[in-house]
Each structure stands twice: as structure tokens, then as C-alpha cells.
């Protein structure tokens, strides 16, 4: 029988003439509840930007939610799922439920878009000699959208976190009339002062992988390969960030070269600081500035931009929201943050109950059920949102002074000092080694780790109050005000404001004695007199280091203690200060790295303190 089958003459249905791949394949679309359009939107200079538009079936007169991203628009709007809810990223599901057209665009020079990529492209002007920037690109995009998306209602809202939050801020510099509302989430606002690249001049080495990932290719580049699993050792062996960059071919990367040539707050940084641009031309678009209270990447931007607009009289339409979130957690599940647990998903609830109603007010003429408070800041001690008519709760700061014997009190201490040796060969780890920058869970929660991990080191000073018998409520930004001398000619100061939990916490035993930093930052000593013009620290002479710490809305409860920790490194997140003044720390030589004895002053010689925004009673709205 087998032989008989072989002998059979094949008929025409058995033979493929030509290719098995049709010249043009069209997948049936009936089963989808949306249409996915990919378009190339022309900008004023002819460059076309790749844009994905997700339109629900049957849409009529719907607003558009626009996100401009350097992180691959295709990835925000998958091709597979039949339902729009599943095709968009999870944070956008509530928007789909509410009835929105979702638009994702690759910014110039990234992924599917034409043109040249420039890192957080400065605005047209002294740093950008072309005729386009992310303000004109947003304008041209919105103009095209309102003219070409027939299912739209001629109104656009812009949203996005981090880099995508920065693209929102750039659109606000000269908003298209159809841009009716905006939400920059954890936007990068000032890369030198306190967002991604530096904090008060201390360089964040975690970004070295970002530079190669983002600027070695139009698509996604890779992280730099490592010689071992522990980034503490890797970066110690590299010596300086400059060395490390050189070893890994970074001299080919334009942005790294510009950043490394501008370690101080010169015109390069000042002319691209978004809050400064906002002050020059404040926007009237209703805007909700959002960020996390433990935002490990862009802690500085949202509140600073909100303050800049407020100072320009933009109060009515200018909202501030600080949630119990790590960086961009507003777009993820947020039932907890590190060891802290909340009642429900603080991000999803917020998106549904506050953010979307805010957008609907301007895009759908739908009033929110309750009027929106100008300021909403989560109180992590009480596990609740507090609403405020204004912020901060007080502009009066109360000094909490360092005392002898590791004490901390609201009275000035008698004169004295506490010394430690800061050794660049053994910097204080920002996370207990082994540490990997690629470990997402540890990276997103490092600001909340138990500071007992470093409290026993001899190069970390810890001061604490007695056990509190009454609550101490803070509503605003604390300031570190440290008087210190050093045997070196440069040096860093890290100051942490910490809530020390009671020794036993019955409802969560792992929190017994926990040292939770509620606000912390680093300051590079050479910038104590000027961010633009660094100066050597005179060895052995007391100097003042005064800098603002991240904003808090917090209650130290009875039974807890307030703690302040001071140290001179947080490695490998921040590059090491050689403690010898050199023109550019990126290119310090091995011999520049020297031990230094730091003597922190108390009392008459310099009353070191942390200035606290203490309020006698909460100013939150009832
Ligand atoms: N924090 C990231 C970033 C923002 C802006 C510039 C560079 C990096 C981000 O999450 O997008």
C-alpha cells in the first residue's frame, strides 16, 4: 500500500508554486476590541517619530493620553492580546476602563523614531543649536494627533514617569493649546542637584550602566559586563568612575563625555534645569507633580518644579502628590515598600480615585466626586494620605542638635567634637555587600534598608534622642547643618534622619529596633560655598555644610527615637571622594585617595544639627 501511495500523481493542491510567505499578510482584526495604529508623525524639520496609537473599537470623542518615551513605545502597547486592557502596560488599564485613546511615541533618535538622540535634549538655545527640542516635538505631535485621530475629542493629556516625566515637563514649556492636563511622575528635573546623575555634586555610579544601555545603540544597549558579582569590589578596583568608563569604551559616548567634563554646576547643568526653565516661563496647564517619598532615582524633581511654579503664583492648577513609593511605583503594585506595608494598593487606588478624575476634569468635563486637594502627601507612620491646602506645614525649622555621648536634643550642646577616620579604601557601603546594581529589589528599596547595617562602623556617627514620650510631627524639608573640620582638602557628608523603632514591635516582629531612614542625602564638600566654583577645604578649619534633605510628612511616635547618622561615603552608589582636592574627581589619581579624620562639632565651635520642620499639630485638612 505504501508503494501505491508513492506512485500516485500529485494533484495541484499538493504543490506550492512560489513562496509560502504571501507578498503581504493581513491578520484578521475582528477579534480585537481595539485598533493598533503605527504611524510616523512628521516633525517641523521633516524627521518622523514612531508612534503607536491604541484606539478602542467604536471610539468617538475620546481624549488622548500621550506618553513620549526613550524606552520603546512598542513595549508599552503589545501586538498580541485581543483586549486593549491586556495590550497596554498594567498601569494604563484603568485608563482603558475609563475610555481613553492611548498614544505612545518613541522620542527622536530612539527605537523606531528617526533623527538623532541627545540625552534629555536641552532646549533650543545655547546648548542646542538645532531648531527642535522635546518642546517642539511634543507640540508637533499633539498638533498632528488632534488633526488626524478622528476618534479623538481634540484634547490631550500627557503623562509619564522619570525620563517620560521629563518629556512631560518639556511639553509644558510651550504647550500646544490641545494639551489640557499633565502629570509628570518622578520627572528628572535637575540631574546635578538631586535627580539621576549627581546629588549635590556626588556622582551616582549606578548610571554608568544606564549610559551604555541608553546611548550605545538606537535600541536597547547592554549593561557593562562585570569581572565579578560584587559591585562594591568592582568599583573599588576601578578606582574612579572615569577609569571604569575608560576601560569600557565610554569615550565613544557623547553624553558621558559631556557629563565627565562638567562635574560642577556650571552653565551646562544650569541651562537644562527644568525648574529654572519653569520659572522663566511658567505653564498654565493644570499639572499634577508626582513622586515617591523613597524615590531612589528622582527624589528632587517633582517637588522642586512644583515649588518653582508656586513661587510664580501658579497655585490653583498646580498639584503636588508624594506617595509611599519607590521610583515609578505609581505605575506598579504598591501594597508595600520594603518592610513597610500599607492598607491596599496605594498606587492603583490613587490612579483610579485621584489621577484619572483629575485628567477627566479637563479632558471630559467631568467633575471629580470630591474637590482635589492642592497637595497630597502620604504619611507612612500613620499609613494614610494627608491632604493639605498648602505645603510645607511650616517654614520655621527647629534645630535638633548633636550632643555628647551620641545624644540628640532640641537644646544646644556644650562645645565638643566627635571624630572618625574616613578611609577611601574602605568606603561605607550604601547596601550591605555583595551588591549588584542590577538587583532590582535591592535597588528600589535601598533607601529603606535597616541602617543598623552600618551603625556599628567606626566611620559612621549615630546620635539619638531618648525614647520619645510625645509625638514629633514633621511637615516639610529638613536641612542638614553640619559644622566639621577635616585633615583632608575635600570630603563628602552623608546625613540621614532616622526613625528608630521600639525594641519590640508585636505586630511586625522584624521591625523591632529597625532604623528606618525617612530622609537622607549626600553633599560634596568642595561645593559648600558655591555649586559652580568648587574650592578646596582648608585642612583643620571648621566649615559649615548646610543642605536641604528630601521632604517628609512623618510622625515620630511615642516609644520611638529620632536618630541622625553622619558618614563620608555611600559606596558604590556614589563615587568616592579622594579627600584631596583635585580639579575633577572623575580623573583623580590613586595617590589622591587619602584617609582623613573628620571632626564633627557640637556647641560653641559649631552647633551641628538637623533642622526639622516640626509642627505643633498636623496642618492636614480634616
Ligand atoms: N531615572 C531614569 C532616568 C530619567 C532621566 C534621565 C535618565 C534616567 C528613568 O527611570 O527613566
Amino acid at each position: 500500500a505504501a508503494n501505491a501511495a508513492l506512485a500516485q500523481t500529485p494533484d495541484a493542491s499538493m504543490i506550492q508554486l512560489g513562496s509560502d510567505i504571501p507578498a503581504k499578510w493581513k491578520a484578521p482584526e475582528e477579534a480585537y476590541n481595539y485598533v493598533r495604529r503605527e504611524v510616523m508623525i512628521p516633525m517641523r524639520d521633516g524627521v518622523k517619530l514612531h508612534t503607536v496609537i491604541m484606539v478602542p473599537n467604536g471610539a468617538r470623542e475620546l481624549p488622548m493620553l500621550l506618553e513620549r518615551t526613550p524606552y520603546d513605545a512598542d513595549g508599552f502597547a503589545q501586538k498580541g492580546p485581543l483586549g486593549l486592557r491586556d495590550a497596554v502596560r498594567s498601569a494604563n488599564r484603568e485608563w482603558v476602563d475609563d475610555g481613553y485613546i492611548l498614544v505612545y511615541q518613541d522620542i527622536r533618535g530612539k527605537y523606531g523614531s528617526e533623527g538623532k538622540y541627545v540625552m534629555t535634549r536641552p532646549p533650543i538655545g545655547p546648548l542646542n543649536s538645532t531648531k527642535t527640542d522635546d518642546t517642539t516635538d511634543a507640540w508637533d505631535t499633539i498638533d498632528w494627533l488632534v488633526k488626524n485621530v478622528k476618534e479623538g475629542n481634540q484634547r490631550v493629556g500627557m503623562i509619564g514617569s522619570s525620563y517620560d516625566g521629563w518629556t512631560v515637563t518639556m511639553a509644558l514649556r510651550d504647550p500646544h493649546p490641545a494639551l489640557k492636563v499633565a502629570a509628570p511622575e518622578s520627572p528628572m528635573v535637575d540631574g546635578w542637584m538631586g535627580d539621576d546623575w549627581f546629588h549635590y555634586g556626588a556622582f551616582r555610579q549606578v548610571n554608568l550602566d544606564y549610559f551604555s544601555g541608553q546611548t550605545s545603540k538606537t535600541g536597547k544597549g547592554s549593561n557593562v559586563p562585570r569581572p565579578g558579582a560584587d559591585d562594591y569590589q568592582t568599583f573599588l578596583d576601578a578606582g574612579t568612575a572615569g577609569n571604569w568608563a575608560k576601560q569600557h569604551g565610554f569615550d565613544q559616548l557623547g553624553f558621558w563625555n559631556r557629563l565627565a567634563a562638567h562635574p560642577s554646576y556650571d552653565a551646562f547643568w544650569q541651562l537644562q534645569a527644568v525648574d529654572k526653565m519653569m520659572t522663566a516661563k511658567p505653564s498654565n496647564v493644570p499639572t499634577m507633580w508626582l513622586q515617591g517619598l523613597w524615590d531612589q532615582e528622582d527624589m528632587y524633581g517633582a517637588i522642586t518644579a512644583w515649588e518653582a511654579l508656586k513661587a510664580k503664583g501658579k497655585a490653583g492648577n498646580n498639584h503636588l502628590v508624594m506617595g509611599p513609593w519607590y521610583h515609578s511605583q505609581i505605575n506598579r503594585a504598591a501594597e508595600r515598600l520594603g518592610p513597610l506595608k500599607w492598607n491596599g494598593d496605594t498606587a492603583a487606588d490613587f490612579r483610579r480615585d485621584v489621577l484619572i478624575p483629575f485628567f477627566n476634569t479637563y479632558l471630559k468635563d467631568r467633575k471629580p466626586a470630591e474637590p482635589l486637594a492642592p497637595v497630597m502627601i502620604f504619611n507612612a507612620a500613620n499609613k494614610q494620605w494627608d491632604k493639605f491646602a498648602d505645603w510645607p506645614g511650616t517654614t520655621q525649622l527647629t534645630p535638633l542638635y548633636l550632643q555628647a555621648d551620641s545624644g540628640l536634643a532640641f537644646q544646644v550642646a556644650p562645645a565638643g567634637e566627635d571624630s572618625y577616620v574616613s578611609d577611601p579604601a574602605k568606603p561605607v557601603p550604601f547596601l550591605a555587600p555583595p551588591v549588584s546594581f542590577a538587583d532590582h529589589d535591592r535597588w528600589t528599596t535601598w533607601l529603606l534598608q535597616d541602617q543598623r547595617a552600618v551603625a556599628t562602623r567606626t566611620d559612621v556617627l549615630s546620635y539619638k534622642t531618648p525614647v520619645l514620650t510625645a509625638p514629633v510631627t514633621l511637615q516639610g524639608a529638613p536641612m542638614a547643618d553640619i559644622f566639621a573640620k577635616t585633615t583632608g582638602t575635600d570630603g563628602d557628608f552623608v546625613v540621614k534622619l532616622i526613625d528608630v523603632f521600639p525594641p519590640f514591635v508585636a505586630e511586625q516582629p522584624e521591625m523591632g529596633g529597625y532604623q528606618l531612614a525617612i530622609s537622607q542625602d549626600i553633599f560634596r564638600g568642595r561645593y559648600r560655598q558655591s555649586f559652580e566654583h568648587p574650592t578646596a577645604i582648608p585642612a583643620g578649619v571648621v566649615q559649615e555644610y548646610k543642605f536641604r534633605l528630601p521632604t517628609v510628612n512623618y510622625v515620630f511616635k511615642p516609644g520611638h527615637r529620632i536618630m541622625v547618622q553622619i558618614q563620608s561615603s555611600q559606596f558604590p552608589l556614589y563615587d568616592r571622594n579622594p579627600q584631596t582636592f583635585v580639579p575633577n574627581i572623575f580623573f583623580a589619581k590613586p595617590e589622591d585617595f587619602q584617609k582623613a579624620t573628620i571632626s564633627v562639632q557640637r556647641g560653641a565651635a559649631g552647633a551641628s544639627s538637623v533642622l526639622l520642620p516640626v509642627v505643633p499639630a498636623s496642618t492636614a485638612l480634616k
Side-chain angles (χ1 to χ4, degrees), residues 410-606:
F410 287 108
Q411 300 80 37
V412 182
E417 63 180 29
D418 297 302
S419 301
Y420 59 93
V421 175
S422 166
D423 182 356
K426 293 178 186 149
V428 183
F430 85 109
L431 271 174
V435 44
S436 159
F437 285 148
D439 182 334
H440 180 261
D441 286 348
R442 288 191 88 200
W443 169 240
T444 50
T445 55
W446 83 265
L447 287 165
L448 298 114
Q449 73 169 324
D450 193 339
Q451 294 300 330
R452 283 179 296 192
V454 298
T456 53
R457 283 182 61 121
T458 52
D459 53 359
V460 176
L461 297 178
S462 299
Y463 300 87
K464 57 179 188 282
T465 62
V467 174
L468 300 178
T469 51
V472 176
T473 301
L474 305 187
Q475 294 181 346
M479 299 270 291
D481 190 15
I482 303 302
F483 294 85
K485 60 187 183 197
T486 172
T487 55
T489 50
D490 198 355
D492 290 349
F493 289 90
V494 175
V495 175
K496 298 178 251 178
L497 177 64
I498 293 168
D499 182 4
V500 183
F501 281 61
F504 290 104
V505 177
E507 55 280 16
Q508 201 183 346
E510 70 276 17
M511 291 306 286
Y514 201 98
Q515 295 180 4
L516 174 71
I518 59 158
S519 181
Q520 60 174 301
D521 219 334
I522 187 168
F523 186 93
R524 189 140 278 182
R526 54 173 37 211
Y527 298 113
R528 71 207 174 286
Q529 288 161 343
S530 156
F531 289 132
E532 189 170 358
H533 302 293
T535 47
I537 299 173
V541 181
V542 172
Q543 304 281 292
E544 184 179 16
Y545 303 90
K546 193 168 183 182
F547 52 100
R548 177 171 154 162
L549 297 173
T551 286
V552 292
N553 174 40
Y554 198 79
V555 186
F556 291 98
K557 299 207 164 166
H560 291 228
R561 295 168 186 255
I562 306 175
M563 177 182 264
V564 169
Q565 278 180 1
I566 302 173
Q567 61 201 49
S568 288
S569 48
Q570 239 173 2
F571 188 76
L573 169 56
Y574 293 101
D575 64 340
R576 293 175 309 153
N577 191 316
Q579 306 189 142
T580 306
F581 185 83
V582 293
N584 186 337
I585 291 178
F586 285 126
F587 307 113
K589 300 274 169 301
E591 59 274 20
D592 299 325
F593 288 82
Q594 296 293 337
K595 282 184 194 173
T597 301
I598 319 292
S599 300
V600 175
Q601 307 298 305
R602 293 181 255 113

Side-chain angles (χ1 to χ4, degrees), residues 232-349:
Y232 184 93
Q233 195 58 47
T234 296
F235 283 92
L236 204 53
D237 293 345
T240 59
N243 261 348
W244 197 87
K246 193 158 174 236
Q247 282 162 18
H248 296 286
F250 277 34
D251 45 358
Q252 303 160 72
L253 303 179
F255 183 67
W256 159 256
N257 287 331
R258 292 198 298 286
L259 176 141
H262 296 278
S264 302
Y265 197 58
D266 59 12
F268 177 66
W269 298 110
Q270 293 172 28
L271 290 171
Q272 55 182 306
V274 173
D275 54 321
K276 295 190 170 60
M277 298 179 209
M278 293 262 155
T279 314
K281 200 170 170 231
S283 147
N284 287 323
V285 176
T287 301
M288 183 178 281
W289 298 90
L290 293 127
Q291 69 169 89
L293 285 161
W294 281 273
D295 193 312
Q296 81 284 0
E297 291 175 33
D298 295 297
M299 182 75 108
Y300 180 89
I303 184 159
T304 308
W306 175 81
E307 286 173 353
L309 282 177
K310 189 184 140 185
K312 281 280 157 186
K314 304 287 172 195
N317 286 340
N318 185 30
H319 296 263
L320 173 68
V321 172
M322 301 179 87
W325 305 318
Y326 62 72
H327 184 61
S328 299
Q329 201 182 1
I330 171 71
N331 291 319
R332 302 205 166 79
E335 286 101 0
R336 58 179 301 161
L337 174 57
L340 308 178
K341 297 175 190 153
W342 320 123
N343 307 314
D345 184 338
T346 56
D349 293 349

